[in-house]
Amino acid sequence: MKVENPTSLDIADLAGVSQATVSRALRNSPLVREETRERIQRIARDLNYFVNRNAAGLRTHQSNTIALLMFDETEGDGAQINPFFLSMVGYITRAAARHGYDVLISMQQLTDDWHVEYQASNRADGLILLGYGDYVTYREKLSALARVNTRFMIWGPRINDQPGHSIGCDNIDGGYRATRHLLDIGRRRIAFIGNTSQRCPELAARYYGYVRALEEAGYTPDPELKVDANNRGKLGYRAMQQLLAGSREFDAVFGVTDVVAIGAMRALHDNGFRVPEDVSVVGFDDVPIAAHVTPALTTVRQDIRLASEGLVDGIVGLIEGKPVASTLMAPSLVVRNSCGANA
Amino acid sequence: MKVENPTSLDIADLAGVSQATVSRALRNSPLVREETRERIQRIARDLNYFVNRNAAGLRTHQSNTIALLMFDETEGDGAQINPFFLSMVGYITRAAARHGYDVLISMQQLTDDWHVEYQASNRADGLILLGYGDYVTYREKLSALARVNTRFMIWGPRINDQPGHSIGCDNIDGGYRATRHLLDIGRRRIAFIGNTSQRCPELAARYYGYVRALEEAGYTPDPELKVDANNRGKLGYRAMQQLLAGSREFDAVFGVTDVVAIGAMRALHDNGFRVPEDVSVVGFDDVPIAAHVTPALTTVRQDIRLASEGLVDGIVGLIEGKPVASTLMAPSLVVRNSCGANA
DNA sequence: CTGAAAGCGCTTACAG
DNA sequence: CTGAAAGCGCTTACAG
């Protein structure tokens, strides 16, 4: 017995019941007698039948899908999304699957028109937003989403009265811990590499933490030891070259992301400096590769697994109409070899 | 004028036309008078109306969605998907968007039940499969997909009479190039780290290339210089420690993936060896971080952008009923600092 | 160029 | 526990 693209009606005919009963049986409704349900499910399996999601979704006004929007500032083709975000994809997808949701993924240029219509077009029941970007532009997009009543969860600390719910890491605390650790192991001239403009508040917060740790220890941050770099490796490399070309000595560097720190380490190496003997290096994120570079990178860990699961729990909660709170996660320091504490 | 969740009928009422005309106008049908079309589209925009994808999909039997299945062998939670595959996600998503397709992402345990029903349930029009895994298990899944007429494209070289279409890299040639390069710069005792079992033919092929280059140069591969390791960094580290603990000397290592090679480099460093002065290292994949580790990794590059676009072109072709060919891409060697050629 | 109408394949309130 | 029926919001052949 073969039907090309079977529908619930085909199953009903074969089972000798109504189409409504088939629908109930396949949804495991307790209304259907067990024997009937099992028979129907067996026939469905035999015919390789699966409920048509479009039809079910049209009827119920649900898609059981979460859209994951990743945005980045990279110009042109730029597929170089920060590995930190990329590594969240796996956790998010698995967590969503546990809740019975599919994940639709989309790359967005922050400056482009956003595909804000995911929910309006019934392709997704809610959104998760990932990315570091120009906060001014970003903020506008969030407002646009809120205006059309789109459900969304944001990765990142909640800023001011920003619309929507979020899960973020306490970046100030993270920057503080990294810097404090360098001070604790005897470093005094600590450079900072990273973008600290207000357009990128998450990264700027890491700098505030750095400043706070220094001041608390009685040191004044030296503007000459602060070099801009966005969160890409190549720019970490260049920023370090700029530091090395400058007149100031330094014995440690705090990179605003691991990718920046790894690029900086390579520049140090290429210029004949040893890490950590000459310069201690600390990063931020604990991307998967951080443990495997040479020397293994000391970094501030954000628990991406917990974050990912929280984002999914949050969006599912919003979809189901449950109360959802924004949360701030505490980062932790992971001491490896690049700082010299283990030397 | 506000309607909560407007439908095409609401637009029709406001525009004073039939719902059919609205549908045509929104799909830019040439049947609709330009003035009418523009008026309708303006109203739709004002109301923040978007075509309900479930309804459209139900009518047309299309989802305009591609499912991207990533599988890995990692036990339990293992979100440590090889960054090589993760970095393809961006290219695939963008390429799909250019064709007007959304991308549904799913992580699969190779050993689990697969969500083979993506196409049968009308959630996706076709699949793209990514991952290195146990080929025996994998092959069975491919046959199951083919049996139910699912359209799919596979990343990886075509093996024997494997069902379906694929785009892969010539791994033998890649292994040959890596090894040949090491020989060319004067290395003679070249170790190999990586899993070469028949259950993982893509990685085994890289080993064949290694063997071929050695034999062509008149050397016999030394079994003592071949250590198993799957494609994760931690195992690359351990494999190198095993090599160092052995009795054989070596002056170079070819790691079957970048992640393995990077782990091996760290083990060399931790044991007081210098890369590339004491030991040259070459990897395979050219993952994004390869250029940024210390020293920058010499590796065999697979053009993931081309591969990603090819996979998307392929699946779109299959969906549209066009002829699609399986292709084999030539890898290229990227010489950086870990091999010593630039020293 | 436009409209009336059928129908895609489900879910679920209603009736029994 | 089961069935008949309505209806979700579209697309498109048919008729004009």
Side-chain angles (χ1 to χ4, degrees):
Chain A
M1 182 67 207
K2 272 283 158 195
V3 181
E4 194 48 49
N5 283 308
T7 69
S8 56
L9 209 57
D10 295 316
I11 311 294
D13 287 349
L14 287 165
V17 297
S18 74
Q19 183 271 330
T21 299
V22 170
S23 179
R24 290 193 190 97
L26 294 174
R27 300 173 65 76
N28 290 311
S29 162
L31 289 175
V32 180
R33 192 150 49 102
E34 187 175 330
E35 186 273 322
T36 313
R37 191 196 326 142
E38 279 169 8
R39 185 159 43 90
I40 291 170
Q41 294 192 344
R42 184 163 33 71
I43 293 171
R45 218 176 304 118
D46 289 350
L47 286 194
N48 197 44
Y49 167 81
F50 294 94
V51 172
N52 182 316
R53 289 294 215 96
N54 286 139
L58 174 58
R59 195 62 185 74
T60 60
H61 297 281
Q62 289 192 343
S63 63
N64 287 301
T65 300
I66 294 166
L68 175 59
L69 307 196
M70 306 184 73
F71 46 89
D72 61 305
E73 289 284 88
T74 47
E75 54 284 349
D77 59 338
Q80 299 311 29
I81 293 155
N82 190 311
F84 174 70
F85 294 115
L86 232 29
S87 60
M88 290 178 81
V89 172
Y91 287 118
I92 288 176
T93 305
R94 284 187 232 264
R98 283 195 292 275
H99 284 281
Y101 283 83
D102 282 329
V103 174
L104 208 53
I105 191 164
S106 173
M107 304 290 157
Q108 310 272 343
Q109 301 286 96
L110 199 47
T111 44
D112 280 7
D113 271 350
W114 266 27
H115 296 183
V116 159
E117 75 273 21
Y118 279 104
Q119 192 177 317
S121 64
N122 263 269
R123 275 188 290 184
D125 299 327
L127 315 181
I128 292 177
L129 310 182
L130 286 188
Y132 296 139
D134 178 319
Y135 188 69
V136 178
T137 317
Y138 188 37
R139 178 62 175 268
E140 278 167 26
K141 307 291 187 182
L142 297 185
S143 300
L145 287 176
R147 222 176 296 129
V148 296
N149 295 317
T150 295
R151 303 177 195 96
F152 61 96
M153 287 293 298
I154 308 162
W155 165 252
R158 190 131 197 275
I159 294 164
N160 306 327
D161 54 344
Q162 159 187 297
H165 300 270
S166 78
I167 291 185
C169 156
D170 188 337
N171 288 296
I172 297 180
D173 184 50
Y176 175 87
R177 281 169 194 256
T179 312
R180 181 60 198 267
H181 175 72
L182 290 168
L183 290 166
D184 284 350
I185 61 175
R187 300 306 185 174
R188 290 297 173 264
R189 309 258 335 133
I190 304 172
F192 178 92
I193 298 183
N195 183 350
T196 60
S197 92
Q198 263 323 302
R199 304 185 80 87
C200 221
E202 300 190 50
L203 303 184
R206 298 176 186 180
Y207 178 68
Y208 298 150
Y210 158 89
V211 169
R212 186 198 285 175
L214 286 181
E215 290 181 342
E216 193 180 282
Y219 300 97
T220 310
D222 181 348
E224 294 287 315
L225 287 181
K226 173 176 171 305
V227 182
D228 253 25
N230 76 12
N231 52 2
R232 285 194 286 155
K234 203 180 283 177
L235 298 171
Y237 187 93
R238 284 208 210 112
M240 177 50 77
Q241 287 193 307
Q242 192 179 323
L243 274 174
L244 292 171
S247 57
R248 291 297 208 284
E249 299 213 332
F250 55 92
D251 53 16
V253 184
F254 172 31
V256 75
T257 63
D258 284 350
V259 176
V260 162
I262 290 169
M265 285 211 291
R266 193 165 49 88
L268 283 165
H269 178 263
D270 286 358
N271 285 278
F273 292 89
R274 293 164 305 160
V275 177
E277 293 83 349
D278 301 321
V279 179
S280 293
V281 176
V282 176
F284 203 117
D285 283 345
D286 197 23
V287 295
I289 202 76
H292 303 298
V293 296
T294 306
L297 187 66
T298 292
T299 188
V300 178
R301 176 155 200 248
Q302 310 188 68
D303 190 329
I304 58 164
R305 177 171 184 173
L306 210 61
S308 303
E309 293 175 350
L311 288 166
V312 171
D313 288 346
I315 195 66
V316 170
L318 290 173
I319 292 167
E320 296 177 352
K322 294 183 195 150
V324 171
S326 291
T327 59
L328 199 58
M329 302 185 350
S332 59
L333 190 73
V334 180
V335 177
R336 298 201 182 96
N337 299 322
S338 67
C339 60
N342 295 336
Chain B
M1 181 65 206
K2 273 283 159 197
V3 181
E4 195 48 50
N5 283 308
T7 69
S8 56
L9 209 57
D10 296 315
I11 310 295
D13 286 349
L14 287 166
V17 296
S18 74
Q19 182 270 331
T21 299
V22 170
S23 178
R24 290 193 190 98
L26 295 172
R27 300 173 64 77
N28 291 312
S29 161
L31 289 175
V32 179
R33 193 152 47 104
E34 187 176 329
E35 186 272 322
T36 313
R37 190 196 326 142
E38 279 169 7
R39 185 159 43 89
I40 290 169
Q41 294 193 343
R42 185 165 32 72
I43 293 171
R45 219 176 302 119
D46 290 349
L47 285 194
N48 197 45
Y49 167 81
F50 294 95
V51 172
N52 183 314
R53 288 298 214 91
N54 286 140
L58 175 57
R59 196 63 185 73
T60 60
H61 296 282
Q62 289 192 342
S63 62
N64 287 301
T65 299
I66 294 166
L68 175 60
L69 307 197
M70 306 185 72
F71 47 90
D72 61 306
E73 288 285 88
T74 48
E75 54 285 346
D77 59 338
Q80 298 312 29
I81 293 154
N82 190 310
F84 174 70
F85 293 116
L86 232 28
S87 60
M88 290 179 82
V89 173
Y91 287 118
I92 288 176
T93 305
R94 282 187 234 267
R98 283 196 292 275
H99 283 281
Y101 283 82
D102 282 329
V103 174
L104 207 55
I105 190 165
S106 174
M107 305 289 156
Q108 310 271 343
Q109 301 286 97
L110 200 47
T111 43
D112 280 7
D113 270 350
W114 267 26
H115 295 182
V116 160
E117 75 274 22
Y118 279 103
Q119 192 177 316
S121 65
N122 263 271
R123 275 189 290 185
D125 299 326
L127 316 181
I128 292 177
L129 309 183
L130 287 187
Y132 296 139
D134 178 319
Y135 188 69
V136 179
T137 316
Y138 189 37
R139 178 62 174 268
E140 279 167 27
K141 307 292 186 181
L142 297 185
S143 300
L145 287 176
R147 223 176 296 129
V148 296
N149 295 318
T150 295
R151 303 177 196 97
F152 59 97
M153 288 292 299
I154 308 161
W155 164 252
R158 191 130 197 275
I159 294 165
N160 306 328
D161 55 344
Q162 158 186 297
H165 301 270
S166 78
I167 291 185
C169 155
D170 187 337
N171 287 297
I172 297 180
D173 183 50
Y176 176 86
R177 281 169 194 255
T179 311
R180 181 61 198 268
H181 175 73
L182 290 168
L183 290 166
D184 285 348
I185 61 176
R187 300 306 186 172
R188 291 296 172 264
R189 309 262 331 134
I190 304 172
F192 178 91
I193 299 183
N195 182 349
T196 59
S197 92
Q198 263 323 304
R199 304 185 80 88
C200 220
E202 300 191 51
L203 304 184
R206 296 175 187 180
Y207 178 69
Y208 299 150
Y210 157 90
V211 170
R212 185 198 287 175
L214 286 181
E215 290 180 342
E216 193 180 283
Y219 300 98
T220 310
D222 181 348
E224 295 287 314
L225 287 181
K226 173 174 171 307
V227 183
D228 252 24
N230 77 10
N231 52 3
R232 285 194 287 155
K234 202 180 283 177
L235 298 172
Y237 187 94
R238 284 208 210 112
M240 177 50 77
Q241 287 195 307
Q242 191 179 325
L243 274 175
L244 292 171
S247 56
R248 291 297 207 284
E249 298 216 331
F250 54 92
D251 53 16
V253 184
F254 171 30
V256 76
T257 64
D258 284 350
V259 176
V260 162
I262 290 169
M265 284 212 291
R266 193 164 49 88
L268 283 165
H269 178 263
D270 286 359
N271 285 278
F273 292 89
R274 291 165 304 160
V275 176
E277 293 83 350
D278 301 320
V279 179
S280 293
V281 177
V282 176
F284 204 118
D285 282 345
D286 197 22
V287 296
I289 203 75
H292 303 299
V293 296
T294 305
L297 187 66
T298 292
T299 187
V300 178
R301 176 155 200 248
Q302 310 189 67
D303 190 330
I304 58 163
R305 178 171 184 173
L306 210 62
S308 304
E309 294 175 349
L311 287 167
V312 171
D313 288 347
I315 195 66
V316 170
L318 290 173
I319 292 167
E320 296 176 352
K322 294 184 196 148
V324 170
S326 291
T327 59
L328 199 59
M329 304 186 347
S332 58
L333 189 74
V334 179
V335 177
R336 298 202 181 96
N337 299 322
S338 67
C339 59
N342 296 335

